[in-house]
Amino acid sequence: MRLYETLAGDIEGQIRKGVYQPGERLPSVRQTSQQRQISITTVIRAYLLLESRGLIVSRPQSGYFVSPHEGGGAQLASPASPKPIAISASVDVSRLVLSTLRSISANDAVPLGSPYPDPAAFPFEKLNRYAYAAARDDSLRGMKNALPPGHPKLIRQIAKRYSEKGVSVDPAEIIVTVGATEAINLCLQAVAKPGDVVAVESPTFYAMLHAIERMGMKAIEIPTDPARGIDVQALAAIAKEQRIAACMVMPNFQNPLGFEMPNDAKRALVALATELEMPIIENGVYNELYYGESYPTTLKQFDTAGLVLHCSSFSKTLASAYRIGWALPGRYRDQVEKLKFLNTLTTASIPQIAIAEFLERDGYEHHLRRLRKTYAQQANLMKAIVTRFFPEGTRPSNPAGGYVLWVELPRTVDGMKLYEQALERGITIGPGYMFSASGSYPNFIRLNYSTPWSPEIEQAVITVGKLAGTCARQRVPTPGAR
């Protein structure tokens, strides 16, 4: 099949599934060319083919639109689902995380240790207007559109968003959740049980460790390269020695390392998962916060066996307070939907509608472009200050997206002492202890640079750098030495 025929087939599929409705405008030829990384001629040929099939119509000076009489209007299906999987409860690193968040909210501490983006950049007023209008709609006062899989309008907008980024998604697979954290927990619960071993990156985002601990599972840490991501060969070697029930990864702008996993590494990881019949839970919450020219590929795109359970949310890009996320669970879709119903029953419909209305009407892409530019600039500022004012031998990461910087301090520095001393001065940081189940990063910290750069932020980073020179770890004697 030729490239333009493949593109036409993808778009036709989205129209048939109701992602694009009758009369709705398709992405422009130039936009599709840039997002799919194909020539404008290829896009034009695809659109002409769809037009010849009666699926779309061309309007001079306006673009291409779905035919008002053909194709669209499909209803999003909601299949039935099977038995739930048992839960187990446990805790640990969560206490340190909770303490940090309380310090930020209660003591107005400088939020260098926050896992959340600064909310000042989010369009709350517009979203709240849509939420207010939705709350006045009598038809929304029942539970109908809050039950799994979620509100059809939001599901359609999510599927459309992926389609515009060159990722073909079946809207019937999407399940709306209370943030990405719930999506990750439900997906893990669907593919593994208490006592199972789950592979994670090292270092890894602590929400992954929380999910594993809470369900009575065991985390096994896989070496992770700061540029290429999880070591696929190391994972394969470990999988030969013991069964791994699932693998949890963040391939794009990983928290805390910030890398974008290359396509060949993504393909290799999915190929290994297919060979082992090993589910992969893909955390994609930072995918929209790329600093490069185009949206990153996902593991989901390389998956032909339904083993990738892709999770994401709007919390990092649009509305952290609304707590709206989603899952694309592949072959485990039915289990995840039932677990969603059993765990939290619903996801509030009013925030779903507010976000759907914003996506449809208010320039989400423009908002994201501004956010990406700001974060990229602030990443450079943070790195420059760290390089200048932290102890000699400090090495900051080189994030390709997101809003966090991973900082390796000299081996003599105790990250927990630094955390405590910074907190005494009204500054929070993320100690490396939080990013490993085995305490592997005692001389590392994570810094959040999403807050608009100011003299206060700059001075706080300088203060942390100066404190780092005084937080020496207790020396561990070399075996056999006197």
Side-chain angles (χ1 to χ4, degrees):
M1 186 177 291
R2 297 173 183 175
L3 192 56
Y4 77 91
E5 292 175 326
T6 300
L7 175 59
D10 287 348
I11 296 172
E12 179 176 352
Q14 298 299 299
I15 293 172
R16 299 292 188 195
K17 292 168 184 172
V19 174
Y20 292 102
Q21 297 287 297
E24 188 170 358
R25 188 178 185 273
L26 292 176
S28 70
V29 170
R30 184 175 298 277
Q31 181 183 1
T32 303
S33 168
Q34 291 173 343
Q35 295 296 346
R36 299 268 184 158
Q37 297 184 351
I38 55 180
S39 70
I40 286 177
T41 302
T42 299
V43 179
I44 291 173
R45 292 187 70 183
Y47 279 10
L48 290 174
L49 179 59
L50 291 167
E51 193 172 18
S52 71
R53 294 174 182 173
L55 287 167
I56 67 174
V57 293
S58 172
R59 297 179 188 171
Q61 308 303 316
S62 297
Y64 290 89
F65 295 77
V66 178
S67 170
H69 307 298
E70 300 287 343
Q75 295 297 311
L76 305 185
S78 176
S81 44
K83 301 176 182 179
I85 297 174
I87 307 176
S88 176
S90 182
V91 284
D92 191 83
V93 174
S94 54
R95 291 181 180 177
L96 181 57
V97 177
L98 183 58
S99 173
T100 302
L101 296 178
R102 282 176 173 163
S103 296
I104 293 170
S105 58
N107 304 324
D108 202 27
V110 180
L112 301 181
S114 174
Y116 304 121
D118 182 74
F122 292 164
F124 280 117
E125 288 187 9
K126 289 182 178 179
L127 286 165
N128 287 341
R129 283 200 296 269
Y130 289 128
Y132 178 73
R136 291 168 60 90
D137 187 341
D138 291 341
S139 67
L140 299 174
R141 291 179 183 171
M143 291 178 58
K144 176 185 174 184
N145 290 318
L147 291 169
H151 198 286
K153 190 167 189 176
L154 179 61
I155 288 175
R156 190 169 73 85
Q157 288 297 328
I158 292 170
K160 186 192 297 186
R161 184 78 192 157
Y162 279 106
S163 178
E164 290 171 354
K165 295 299 183 183
V167 184
S168 184
V169 166
D170 185 346
E173 187 184 346
I174 296 171
I175 298 168
V176 179
T177 59
V178 183
T181 299
E182 185 188 35
I184 290 166
N185 276 270
L186 293 173
C187 288
L188 182 59
Q189 198 177 342
V191 301
K193 62 184 184 302
D196 279 348
V197 173
V198 178
V200 297
E201 298 156 312
S202 183
T204 191
F205 184 44
Y206 45 74
M208 308 284 208
L209 298 176
H210 292 174
I212 293 168
E213 290 171 336
R214 189 178 72 84
M215 296 180 197
M217 302 169 189
K218 300 173 184 177
I220 185 166
E221 299 184 29
I222 309 299
T224 301
D225 185 84
R228 292 187 58 82
I230 193 167
D231 188 330
V232 179
Q233 291 185 340
L235 177 61
I238 292 169
K240 286 181 180 179
E241 299 176 1
Q242 63 178 322
R243 178 182 175 273
I244 297 177
C247 179
M248 303 177 74
V249 294
M250 191 181 291
N252 294 317
F253 324 126
Q254 191 249 22
N255 186 342
L257 290 173
F259 61 79
E260 179 182 348
M261 198 174 184
N263 284 346
D264 65 313
K266 289 175 180 172
R267 288 191 183 96
L269 178 58
V270 174
L272 176 64
T274 304
E275 178 187 340
L276 298 175
E277 282 280 306
M278 176 185 67
I280 299 177
I281 298 172
E282 177 183 25
N283 186 339
V285 293
Y286 300 103
N287 284 9
E288 294 277 17
L289 299 178
Y290 55 90
Y291 299 161
E293 295 298 320
S294 60
Y295 185 83
T297 58
T298 67
L299 298 180
K300 188 78 173 173
Q301 287 172 260
F302 302 115
D303 178 31
T304 58
L307 286 164
V308 174
L309 298 88
H310 178 88
C311 304
S312 193
S313 80
F314 294 107
S315 298
K316 304 297 187 289
T317 59
L318 186 59
S320 52
Y322 276 39
R323 304 295 300 144
I324 297 295
W326 65 91
L328 286 158
R331 66 167 72 169
Y332 305 98
R333 191 250 178 235
D334 293 342
Q335 293 98 310
V336 171
E337 183 182 53
K338 185 168 185 178
L339 287 167
K340 163 64 184 174
F341 179 73
L342 292 173
N343 276 267
T344 53
L345 185 64
T346 65
T347 300
S349 59
I350 289 175
Q352 292 187 64
I353 294 167
I355 289 176
E357 291 288 342
F358 182 89
L359 294 180
E360 186 174 355
R361 302 169 185 267
D362 259 313
Y364 185 40
E365 189 57 50
H366 176 73
H367 161 73
L368 286 171
R369 281 198 298 269
R370 185 172 62 248
L371 204 59
R372 292 178 198 125
K373 182 179 179 180
T374 298
Y375 287 171
Q377 291 172 343
Q378 290 174 188
N380 289 332
L381 285 168
M382 181 76 82
K383 285 167 60 180
I385 296 297
V386 167
T387 301
R388 181 177 177 185
F389 290 99
F390 277 55
E392 186 178 352
T394 297
R395 296 193 299 175
S397 62
N398 188 31
Y403 52 81
V404 296
L405 189 73
W406 184 238
V407 181
E408 180 181 5
L409 300 164
R411 288 183 176 273
T412 54
V413 177
D414 187 327
M416 279 304 300
K417 282 186 181 178
L418 180 58
Y419 167 82
E420 292 163 1
Q421 290 192 17
L423 197 56
E424 289 175 0
R425 290 159 177 79
I427 305 167
T428 63
I429 61 173
Y433 172 80
M434 296 196 295
F435 302 91
S436 167
S438 58
S440 300
Y441 301 97
N443 59 309
F444 288 74
I445 61 171
R446 187 197 65 184
L447 301 175
N448 180 320
Y449 52 79
S450 68
T451 303
W453 201 260
S454 66
E456 180 191 19
I457 293 293
E458 183 169 310
Q459 188 55 53
V461 179
I462 292 172
T463 299
V464 173
K466 291 178 178 178
L467 288 173
T470 68
C471 296
R473 286 197 290 150
Q474 185 175 5
R475 188 174 179 183
V476 180
T478 304
R482 294 184 179 180

